[in-house]
Amino acid sequence: MDVKSRNYLLMNRQALEKDIKTSYIMDRMISDEVLTLQEEERVKQQNTQKERAAMLINIILTKDNNSYRSFYNALLHEGYRDLAALLQDGIPAISSGNGKSSMDGMTSYVKTVLCEGGVPQRPVVFVTRPKLVDAIKQKLCCLGSDPGWVTVYGMAGCGKTVLTAEALRDHQLLEDYFPGGVHWISVGKQDKAGLLIKLQNLCSRLEHDSTLSQRPPLNIEEAKDRLRLLMLRKYPRSLLILDDIWDSWVLKAFDNQCQVLITSRDRSVTDAVAGNKYEVHVESGLGHEKGLEILSLFVNMKISELPEQANCLVRECKGSPLVISLIGALLRDFPSRWEYYLKQLQNKQFKRIRKSSSYDYEALDEAMSISVEQLNDNYKDYYKDLSVLPKDVKVPTKVLCILWDMETEEVEDILQEFVNKSLLFCDRNGKSFHYYLHDLQLDFLTEKNRNQLQELHKNIVNQYKKYYKLNTPVPSQEDCMYWYNFLAYHMAGANMQKELRDLMFSLDWIKAKTELVGPAHLIHEYVEYSSILDQKDSTVRENFQEFLSLNGHLLGRQPFPDIIQLGLCQPETSEVYQQAKLYAQRETGTFYLEWINKKSLKNLYRLVVRPHRDAVYHACFSKDRQRIASCGADKTLQVFKAESGERLLEISAHDDEILCCAFSADGEFVATCSADKKVKIWNSRTGQRKCVYEEHSEQVNCCQFNNRSGQYLLATCSNDTFIKLWDLNKKYCRNTMMGHENSVNHCRFSPNDEYVASCSTDGTVKLWEARSGNELKSIEIKDFFKNADEQPDDVEVLVKCCSWSRNGDMILVVAKNKLLLFDVKTCGLLSQVIISHHSTIQYCDFCPGDELVAVALSHCSVELWNIKSLSKVAYCRGHMSWVHCVTFSPDGSLFLTSSDDQTIRIWETKKVCKSSDAVLKSELDVVFHNGEVMILAIYNQKHLQLINGNTDSVIMQTAAPESPISCCCLSEDLKFAAFGQESGTIKVLQLLDGKVLKSQEAYRTSVQHCQFTSDCQTLISSAHDSVIQVWNWQLSECVFLRGHKEAIKDFRLLENSKLLSWSFDGTVKVWNIATGNAEKDFACHGGAVLSCAVSPDGSKFSSTSADKTAKIWSFESSSVLHELKSHEACVRCCTFSPNNKLLATGDDKGEIRIWDILTGALLHFCSPVTVDEGEPTHGGWVTDLSFSPDSKMLVSSGGFLKWWNVTTGESLQTFYTNGTNLKSIHVSPNFKV
């Protein structure tokens, strides 16, 4: 054992003997094969714990360095971290396996591991710095097998990369500690898009021998997950080396519970990540002797033989290894120029690159100039061409082959000359060569050639165009990613306005680029280069930027949507639409859809982002409106730019779902609260955690900061019935407010911060004094919910949310489906409004102007109400699932919504209020007549509208009835319409003038369905009960069809006055509507029957059910022909093909199956789960299906419309309807509309 290690054991012996228990420590040392069973027995024979510890230490003292390391690691693993820390500095350095220093040679094992891991080779001239190399090895050993970080930090050019690579050239280190290998990635200064490229390349490298070829990850989160799985499953116990890290946020992409070594200029770069951390500081410069050694190796002379100028040269280089290497490379070629180069440095005649920089730029500037001047004229021009390369980007050889119009070998020979003179760096990864300039070298070139940069950029663009002509690079080409990421950069640098516009406004380019890297980088380029793109007109750029901003959540997913079809959904005046139309007309083999009435349906939101991989529970603006924080079921906190959606922070913040987040008034902090019972405070800029509060005993539902800057107060509320007030400057709770008898769901400070309001499941809203925590007032909200007999409703009244008016005089409260406005002083009810009979209110927020209130509803929508007039002023659809939250920006100009559908949508308040009528109708009936599409639709539950679908014009609109309209239907001759109301009334009206002809109070519950018979004289209807009514409205005669035991789901008219009905009781019945008798009764399912379809020949019908089955029945024999069992969710819809051979069924998992009617065999499984995170292809339930007349095509509805090839089961096209879930589809007889 080394003397140093032995001394550390002896020095700390007393502390070790006092505290350690030997049994588990010996188990680990035996498994490491450094302790024998006989030695273990000797230790166990001692009488006391202290004596056993003393014996173990005596035995270790007789052994070698491996025993010391094993003992140290055992202490770490068994929880003795404080004792391990005492021994840490005594860990012996690891020597190479053959006893020689790592300079003298490497084993084939080491060479293989380093080559496969992409570790840089030794420089041609290399001097040992054993103390630093050993320090790096020692810290790597400290990691043991635990996740953690080793940071090698120091100034630029000090040799961090070379030293790190050298430390890895050790057989024993790699074999004992990193048997899974090492993986080197050069990171550099990156933006989000650049980092994604690095991650894509790393994942590709790690998957190189995988049998399955995966697409590159489309975003940083996906790349992080992919990398985590690769490191966990394919490369356990391996080391990841991240070279040249500049920013702490970059590390979060690699924070995957693995072992990581990083090189950086910033020692605090790991502050934002968790895990064990160790540091190695690399001195800023070489010692004088080391500098002389480098020069001697370059010129192949002994140090004692160097000329006297050598000492002066080393001093002028100021100890920088990079600068000394540059000068040494020059002297190797011109060994007589010692005096010349010394004078060049001493005269300081070269322009400084960055005088204020903390780096040794002066010496580098001078050395660079000298190096470049020594190149021959041709080579100088080639080197000048590198001035326009992007920083920290490794450029494939192929790019420079295109730039210089040369063969690969010629280019490599030129570049090797630069590499030999330390003017360029080469990364050899397998067969491919990538070249890059150090950022200091690039700064030097940029400054030197500043007046020629535009021409240099222009040259590279022209060479690209010459090579690719009208084509675009394909992913199999090594230069592909470079052009997709940097072609626009070069065009902008060349100020090539026309070329840049042609590129950025090309759907071909957008399609190719977004398929490779997603839309984020393109949106960034529209913003970055807007001054060039907008020189003539900003409209086109705005068209494309809006197109990507509003469809980015779709374009970032797999399977990749048809971008031409998305373009066809843009307004006809949009350049995106014009291009898509031309493209669709050229494509003969692809199926495209033209949206006829898109003018009536506008995108009311300005940005859609999908930052989370699960439901988004809460989102809020910062006070300056520049940032948005969001949280949700994926346990992360996200902070992103409100203008572009660019992610600024992502924090894995809690161990369970995060239910709420809030910015402090000055925007410095973000608070989060979670189902894990914890409240956490984060720095909103760096992501560092400031504090954790753990005093709540159940899940914490809400957290809200006070409104005034200067004092950081936070209110939180929980299922434990308490509201707590925290002062961020103190460790513990300042006040606990007790008084609620059940879970507290929400809390908010009053605008002046004097009061806190809280809402509870106990049916009350309470007001508290913030300073003292005393209860001031309590409002019994449940008193405002009465049943029909004016008695308090027995159902629990869960008070969800509250919001203060701007002056604090009023408070808005939501419970169930009601908005209630109270006077704060008197607690008196000022006004109330029932928002909806069909959904509950999830959240509410007062607009800072005090008149508008936004409410989020469980049926996927958001409504804006004028609280003074109690009128609805806007109705916002777009989300595909429950909306959990709606919050206004501080100035009220924007509001955002967050939903179960994983998206956050940002809306412009004024735009929404002007255009709120433009939404899909929830109930409608359609008649296709003489080439026209006539639609009867319910508008806002108050009016019936007859709409010409071809022109989108409203032909007729009825006056608002006394009760909301719930369903409607058209007669086939387009003379009459009927509608049912929530009150149970049915009315028939004349379409010519909208006059009501007949009215009948048919039901006590809301009417669900109505339909005319073919002669238009009879109206059939059903409600929320078990009776169907057959009403001859012209004769005022009514027949009741009674027989079902539960509510009717729906019905369908058959031939010869027959009717098919199905019910929640699991039965299907056939009725004679003339007599009212049930002619056939089918006990179809154990669960509710959700849909039925009749075969074209009328001999069979199908039924689908909540019991996850579908069945085919014979009308004649009243028997089941086939039971179709492979669905995994409720089977919601079905339809027969016109050729009477097929049945299609759709379920709540988003899956569609096509069956053979004759055999009951499954022919196709049309809708496999292929979307990221396992989302079904339909984005939810399949709600309706319809075959084409030739039975070759199938259209389905759900989260969007999809067309399928029935023969192959493949998707033909997808039509997205602005995020709205679709209920039913109506198809024209020729299948064209």
Side-chain angles (χ1 to χ4, degrees):
M1 185 183 296
D2 288 355
V3 175
K4 182 181 177 183
S5 303
R6 183 181 178 83
N7 287 342
Y8 267 84
L9 266 179
L10 293 171
M11 255 184 341
N12 297 294
R13 180 174 188 149
Q14 190 173 354
L16 292 165
E17 289 176 355
K18 181 180 176 183
D19 288 333
I20 63 171
K21 294 180 180 179
T22 56
S23 56
Y24 291 115
I25 289 174
M26 288 195 295
D27 287 345
R28 289 195 171 273
M29 294 182 72
I30 289 168
S31 68
D32 287 344
E33 298 181 348
V34 298
L35 196 70
T36 67
L37 294 174
Q38 291 80 7
E39 289 166 338
E40 181 190 33
E41 195 57 39
R42 282 171 56 195
V43 174
K44 286 182 176 178
Q45 287 171 0
Q46 307 306 309
N47 295 324
T48 66
Q49 176 184 314
K50 186 173 182 180
E51 287 171 350
R52 287 191 288 274
M55 176 57 73
L56 178 60
I57 291 168
N58 284 336
I59 292 170
I60 295 170
L61 286 167
T62 66
K63 293 181 175 287
D64 61 7
N65 290 341
N66 285 335
S67 302
Y68 188 98
R69 294 189 198 97
S70 176
F71 181 54
Y72 170 82
N73 286 327
L75 290 173
L76 274 179
H77 281 288
E78 297 306 324
Y80 298 104
R81 293 187 178 273
D82 53 342
L83 295 177
L86 297 175
L87 302 182
Q88 182 176 317
D89 291 337
I91 297 173
I94 301 175
S95 59
S96 56
N98 58 10
K100 298 179 182 179
S101 76
S102 57
M103 273 292 292
D104 296 330
M106 294 184 290
T107 63
S108 59
Y109 169 76
V110 171
K111 289 179 180 177
T112 302
V113 170
L114 299 192
C115 182
E116 289 177 349
V119 177
Q121 297 176 358
R122 270 194 197 121
V124 177
V125 171
F126 173 74
V127 296
T128 57
R129 298 165 79 179
K131 186 177 177 182
L132 285 167
V133 172
D134 287 346
I136 295 170
K137 292 181 187 178
Q138 198 172 75
K139 299 304 181 187
L140 287 172
C141 293
C142 290
L143 287 175
S145 58
D146 290 336
W149 307 79
V150 174
T151 305
V152 180
Y153 70 94
M155 286 175 60
C158 65
K160 302 181 292 293
T161 300
V162 173
L163 290 167
T164 299
E166 191 60 28
L168 299 174
R169 296 185 177 97
D170 187 295
H171 187 106
Q172 190 174 347
L173 175 72
L174 297 179
E175 195 173 63
D176 292 354
Y177 290 87
F178 309 109
V182 297
H183 311 289
W184 187 291
I185 175 171
S186 298
V187 181
K189 183 77 172 172
Q190 295 297 342
D191 59 10
K192 305 275 181 177
L195 178 61
L196 179 57
I197 295 169
K198 299 282 184 184
L199 286 162
Q200 288 171 336
N201 291 338
L202 177 60
C203 290
S204 173
R205 195 166 87 192
L206 295 179
E207 293 168 340
H208 68 94
D209 61 348
S210 176
T211 53
L212 291 174
S213 176
Q214 295 197 60
R215 61 161 176 78
L218 292 178
N219 54 57
I220 290 174
E221 296 74 39
E222 185 184 350
K224 181 178 178 180
D225 285 346
R226 179 93 57 88
L227 185 58
R228 177 177 59 80
L229 291 174
L230 284 167
M231 298 298 280
L232 180 69
R233 297 176 182 173
K234 194 173 178 185
Y235 299 98
R237 293 193 66 199
S238 61
L239 178 67
L240 185 62
I241 303 105
L242 307 178
D243 187 32
D244 196 21
I245 294 291
W246 284 62
D247 300 300
S248 58
W249 64 264
V250 171
L251 291 186
K252 293 184 181 178
F254 301 92
D255 192 3
N256 281 326
Q257 292 293 299
C258 55
Q259 296 178 310
V260 187
L261 183 148
I262 68 169
T263 69
S264 179
R265 301 162 198 184
D266 180 6
R267 77 182 288 186
S268 66
V269 77
T270 57
D271 287 353
V273 292
N276 297 325
K277 296 171 189 173
Y278 306 93
E279 293 180 348
V280 178
H281 180 220
V282 179
E283 296 87 357
S284 58
L286 292 170
H288 192 76
E289 288 302 311
K290 286 291 178 187
L292 291 173
E293 186 180 350
I294 289 177
L295 286 179
S296 70
L297 290 169
F298 266 108
V299 298
N300 197 23
M301 297 169 68
K302 292 179 181 177
I303 293 178
S304 57
E305 296 172 353
L306 290 173
E308 58 183 15
Q309 292 95 336
N311 287 300
C312 299
L313 271 171
V314 170
R315 280 195 292 272
E316 289 297 327
C317 289
K318 300 175 184 176
S320 168
L322 187 58
V323 180
I324 294 172
S325 297
L326 287 166
I327 296 292
L330 289 167
L331 287 167
R332 180 180 56 197
D333 292 339
F334 303 98
S336 61
R337 294 188 177 178
W338 291 86
E339 186 67 31
Y340 172 74
Y341 294 135
L342 176 60
K343 284 181 179 177
Q344 296 295 311
L345 289 175
Q346 287 174 334
N347 290 338
K348 301 186 184 297
Q349 59 188 0
F350 300 101
K351 188 177 179 182
R352 306 290 183 260
I353 296 175
R354 293 181 190 164
K355 294 181 180 179
S356 62
S357 171
S358 59
Y359 304 140
D360 256 339
Y361 273 87
E362 295 166 357
L364 176 61
D365 177 23
E366 291 148 13
M368 280 287 302
S369 294
I370 298 164
S371 299
V372 174
E373 287 305 312
Q374 299 312 306
L375 297 171
N376 68 43
D377 288 344
N378 285 343
Y379 277 44
K380 282 181 186 175
D381 288 338
Y382 292 135
Y383 196 64
K384 181 169 70 176
D385 287 340
L386 306 184
S387 305
V388 293
L389 295 184
K391 271 195 176 182
D392 298 307
V393 173
K394 292 181 180 178
V395 181
T397 311
K398 178 74 179 292
V399 172
L400 298 166
C401 290
I402 293 170
L403 172 60
W404 294 330
D405 197 11
M406 292 182 181
E407 296 293 327
T408 302
E409 291 76 13
E410 292 180 272
V411 170
E412 288 175 352
D413 288 344
I414 294 170
L415 297 176
Q416 189 58 44
E417 182 74 13
F418 300 151
V419 173
N420 289 342
K421 286 185 165 54
S422 301
L423 289 169
L424 189 69
F425 296 92
C426 177
D427 181 30
R428 295 173 175 84
N429 182 22
K431 293 181 180 178
S432 63
F433 287 61
H434 287 68
Y435 297 91
Y436 61 99
L437 290 161
H438 191 284
D439 56 350
L440 304 183
Q441 295 168 323
L442 192 54
D443 281 349
F444 164 79
L445 276 176
T446 304
E447 186 65 28
K448 179 181 172 67
N449 302 306
R450 181 163 299 282
N451 295 331
Q452 301 173 63
L453 291 180
Q454 188 167 317
E455 280 304 310
L456 293 172
H457 278 293
K458 189 174 183 178
N459 183 42
I460 198 169
V461 173
N462 288 334
Q463 289 298 108
Y464 165 87
K465 290 166 65 178
K466 177 183 174 183
Y467 183 85
Y468 280 106
K469 298 181 174 66
L470 298 176
N471 302 315
T472 53
V474 295
S476 59
Q477 296 169 312
E478 66 168 319
D479 61 324
C480 166
M481 292 300 286
Y482 180 86
W483 297 118
Y484 280 119
N485 282 294
F486 300 111
L487 183 57
Y489 155 78
H490 288 302
M491 287 180 173
N495 198 28
M496 300 172 76
Q497 184 198 359
K498 181 182 183 305
E499 288 82 355
L500 184 62
R501 287 172 65 91
D502 289 346
L503 182 79
M504 300 287 288
F505 301 156
S506 160
L507 278 181
D508 284 329
W509 179 259
I510 293 170
K511 179 177 185 291
K513 180 162 180 171
T514 49
E515 280 185 1
L516 274 177
V517 297
H521 194 257
L522 259 173
I523 296 171
H524 163 75
E525 287 178 328
Y526 284 121
V527 176
E528 183 79 10
Y529 306 134
S530 59
S531 59
I532 301 173
L533 296 170
D534 294 352
Q535 281 182 14
K536 288 184 178 178
D537 180 12
S538 65
T539 306
V540 177
R541 193 260 310 162
E542 288 169 355
N543 288 163
F544 278 90
Q545 188 174 328
E546 182 181 67
F547 172 62
L548 284 173
S549 296
L550 299 182
N551 292 288
H553 61 298
L554 301 173
L555 294 169
R557 299 183 180 193
Q558 291 292 322
F560 193 83
D562 188 325
I563 201 164
I564 304 305
Q565 182 60 62
L566 287 178
L568 287 170
C569 295
Q570 297 302 295
E572 292 188 7
T573 55
S574 166
E575 178 66 24
V576 180
Y577 171 81
Q578 301 292 344
Q579 280 198 38
K581 184 82 181 249
L582 289 172
Y583 198 106
Q585 289 168 347
R586 291 200 307 266
E587 287 286 314
T588 53
T590 310
F591 176 66
Y592 288 113
L593 304 155
E594 181 74 274
W595 186 354
I596 297 173
N597 70 327
K598 65 182 155 191
K599 289 180 182 177
S600 68
L601 285 158
K602 299 173 184 175
N603 281 316
L604 301 182
Y605 31 86
R606 65 187 286 176
L607 183 70
V608 186
V609 290
R610 187 174 177 246
H612 294 272
R613 283 159 285 177
D614 209 331
V616 189
Y617 291 145
H618 196 82
C620 58
F621 286 96
S622 60
K623 198 163 188 177
D624 61 5
R625 213 191 77 172
Q626 298 301 305
R627 293 176 295 157
I628 292 170
S630 64
C631 60
D634 64 1
K635 309 173 192 176
T636 67
L637 167 68
Q638 309 279 350
V639 180
F640 54 91
K641 289 182 179 178
E643 184 65 35
S644 65
E646 180 189 348
R647 182 177 278 111
L648 301 172
L649 271 183
E650 179 182 20
I651 304 169
S652 296
H654 287 267
D655 299 323
D656 207 335
E657 296 183 336
I658 306 176
L659 304 176
C660 189
C661 59
F663 275 107
S664 60
D666 59 6
E668 286 301 305
F669 298 104
V670 178
T672 55
C673 62
S674 165
D676 67 6
K677 310 174 190 176
K678 297 175 184 175
V679 179
K680 297 185 181 182
I681 313 297
W682 310 86
N683 184 305
S684 70
R685 310 282 180 185
T686 67
Q688 288 179 295
R689 193 179 70 197
K690 176 178 170 62
C691 49
V692 182
Y693 299 128
E694 301 186 59
E695 291 188 27
H696 283 293
S697 59
E698 293 189 42
Q699 79 172 29
V700 189
N701 296 313
C702 181
C703 56
Q704 292 287 332
F705 275 102
N706 63 325
N707 297 299
R708 289 180 294 187
S709 300
Q711 185 183 18
Y712 297 113
L713 293 179
L714 181 75
T716 61
C717 59
S718 164
N719 282 3
D720 62 12
T721 74
F722 301 139
I723 303 103
K724 290 181 179 286
L725 198 61
W726 315 83
D727 187 330
L728 263 58
N729 298 316
K730 297 179 181 177
K731 196 171 183 179
Y732 300 104
C733 173
R734 181 173 125 171
N735 280 321
T736 298
M737 305 170 195
M738 296 175 282
H740 283 294
E741 297 173 0
N742 209 328
S743 303
V744 188
N745 304 308
H746 192 251
C747 57
R748 274 195 182 178
F749 279 95
S750 62
N752 61 8
D753 292 335
E754 291 183 10
Y755 308 106
V756 174
S758 61
C759 307
S760 170
T761 307
D762 65 12
T764 66
V765 170
K766 292 183 184 290
L767 304 183
W768 313 80
E769 189 178 61
R771 185 182 297 275
S772 65
N774 293 331
E775 181 181 332
L776 293 175
K777 297 175 182 179
S778 182
I779 306 172
E780 295 283 343
I781 302 298
K782 57 189 175 187
D783 290 350
F784 297 94
F785 289 83
K786 308 282 188 181
N787 60 22
D789 301 320
E790 288 300 310
Q791 297 299 311
D793 200 326
D794 291 335
V795 180
E796 180 182 61
V797 177
L798 190 155
V799 187
K800 270 283 183 78
C801 177
C802 62
S803 182
W804 295 83
S805 62
R806 183 170 49 179
N807 59 10
D809 289 346
M810 299 179 290
I811 188 165
L812 184 73
V813 179
V814 298
K816 292 189 176 181
N817 60 349
K818 277 188 182 181
L819 270 181
L820 302 107
L821 188 66
F822 293 94
D823 183 286
V824 171
K825 289 182 181 177
T826 65
C827 293
L829 180 67
L830 299 173
S831 57
Q832 64 174 314
V833 60
I834 296 174
I835 297 294
S836 168
H837 290 281
H838 304 292
S839 62
T840 58
I841 304 174
Q842 300 295 105
Y843 205 87
C844 72
D845 196 31
F846 243 128
C847 182
D850 268 359
E851 286 195 7
L852 281 183
V853 172
V855 291
L857 300 169
S858 59
H859 64 51
C860 320
S861 67
V862 172
E863 295 180 0
L864 299 189
W865 285 73
N866 184 310
I867 203 64
K868 291 184 178 177
S869 64
L870 299 182
S871 60
K872 180 163 64 174
V873 295
Y875 179 67
C876 311
R877 293 293 297 246
H879 286 291
M880 294 174 67
S881 190
W882 281 32
V883 183
H884 289 289
C885 169
V886 54
T887 52
F888 281 100
S889 61
D891 62 0
S893 63
L894 303 174
F895 65 94
L896 58 80
T897 55
S898 62
S899 166
D900 259 0
D901 66 11
Q902 306 178 13
T903 67
I904 296 167
R905 294 170 190 258
I906 298 153
W907 315 69
E908 293 182 51
T909 309
K910 285 184 179 178
K911 185 176 177 182
V912 166
C913 291
K914 289 178 182 176
S915 313
S916 61
D917 291 345
V919 295
L920 284 173
K921 308 299 188 285
S922 59
E923 296 287 343
L924 54 82
D925 193 19
V926 179
V927 170
F928 298 97
H929 183 71
N930 294 333
E932 290 195 327
V933 185
M934 303 306 293
I935 302 160
L936 184 70
I938 301 172
Y939 167 55
N940 208 16
Q941 294 186 295
K942 295 179 180 177
H943 307 276
L944 273 188
Q945 289 182 337
L946 183 64
I947 302 166
N948 184 316
N950 301 71
T951 63
D952 205 41
S953 56
V954 177
I955 299 169
M956 182 273 296
Q957 178 170 311
T958 64
E962 63 283 355
S963 172
I965 303 173
S966 54
C967 64
C968 63
C969 65
L970 275 170
S971 65
E972 289 181 14
D973 59 8
L974 293 177
K975 290 182 178 179
F976 308 108
F979 63 90
Q981 296 175 254
E982 291 186 359
S983 62
T985 301
I986 300 172
K987 295 182 180 181
V988 177
L989 54 86
Q990 191 167 270
L991 282 179
L992 188 64
D993 54 9
K995 178 183 177 183
V996 175
L997 301 175
K998 285 289 177 71
S999 177
Q1000 181 187 23
E1001 293 182 8
Y1003 299 95
R1004 291 186 177 181
T1005 59
S1006 176
V1007 184
Q1008 293 299 296
H1009 302 284
C1010 59
Q1011 184 181 349
F1012 283 103
T1013 54
S1014 57
D1015 62 6
C1016 307
Q1017 294 182 13
T1018 302
L1019 185 70
I1020 303 169
S1021 61
S1022 66
H1024 271 309
D1025 62 19
S1026 60
V1027 179
I1028 298 171
Q1029 293 193 25
V1030 181
W1031 177 35
N1032 187 320
W1033 60 274
Q1034 292 185 339
L1035 301 176
S1036 298
E1037 295 175 354
C1038 195
V1039 175
F1040 298 93
L1041 309 183
R1042 292 187 171 93
H1044 285 293
K1045 295 177 181 177
E1046 292 185 40
I1048 307 295
K1049 180 67 175 72
D1050 207 346
F1051 56 82
R1052 174 172 174 165
L1053 278 164
L1054 305 176
E1055 293 179 350
N1056 302 320
S1057 299
K1058 301 290 194 294
L1059 182 100
L1060 187 76
S1061 68
W1062 52 97
S1063 164
F1064 287 97
D1065 63 12
T1067 67
V1068 175
K1069 297 181 187 293
V1070 178
W1071 308 84
N1072 184 317
I1073 59 173
T1075 65
N1077 297 326
E1079 297 191 346
K1080 288 185 182 290
D1081 193 345
F1082 298 85
C1084 290
H1085 295 274
V1089 181
L1090 300 179
S1091 72
C1092 287
V1094 178
S1095 62
D1097 63 4
S1099 66
K1100 294 178 279 289
F1101 75 91
S1102 61
S1103 62
T1104 71
S1105 171
D1107 65 10
K1108 305 180 185 178
T1109 68
K1111 295 180 182 180
I1112 301 175
W1113 303 81
S1114 165
F1115 277 118
E1116 187 177 347
S1117 65
S1118 299
S1119 60
V1120 63
L1121 300 176
H1122 302 291
E1123 185 171 1
L1124 314 175
K1125 281 186 168 181
S1126 70
H1127 282 284
E1128 297 175 4
C1130 295
V1131 190
R1132 190 156 294 275
C1133 56
C1134 59
T1135 187
F1136 284 94
S1137 64
N1139 64 9
N1140 213 31
K1141 293 180 179 179
L1142 306 173
L1143 177 74
T1145 55
D1147 67 23
D1148 285 3
K1149 200 178 174 184
E1151 296 176 352
I1152 297 167
R1153 287 163 171 79
I1154 298 177
W1155 313 82
D1156 186 302
I1157 295 174
L1158 191 62
T1159 65
L1162 177 64
L1163 300 178
H1164 292 297
F1165 175 53
C1166 280
S1167 190
V1169 176
T1170 50
V1171 179
D1172 295 346
E1173 305 301 325
E1175 278 181 45
T1177 305
H1178 257 296
W1181 298 353
V1182 182
T1183 55
D1184 205 359
L1185 295 160
S1186 183
F1187 279 98
S1188 61
D1190 61 6
S1191 303
K1192 292 181 179 179
M1193 203 180 293
L1194 177 73
V1195 61
S1196 60
S1197 64
F1200 28 82
L1201 290 171
K1202 284 190 81 72
W1203 280 257
W1204 306 89
N1205 183 318
V1206 173
T1207 308
T1208 64
E1210 294 175 350
S1211 172
L1212 294 172
Q1213 192 53 269
T1214 304
F1215 184 86
Y1216 298 91
T1217 52
N1218 293 347
T1220 305
N1221 279 305
L1222 304 174
K1223 188 174 178 180
S1224 62
I1225 43 180
H1226 300 260
V1227 183
S1228 65
N1230 61 9
F1231 205 66
K1232 289 187 176 180
V1233 181

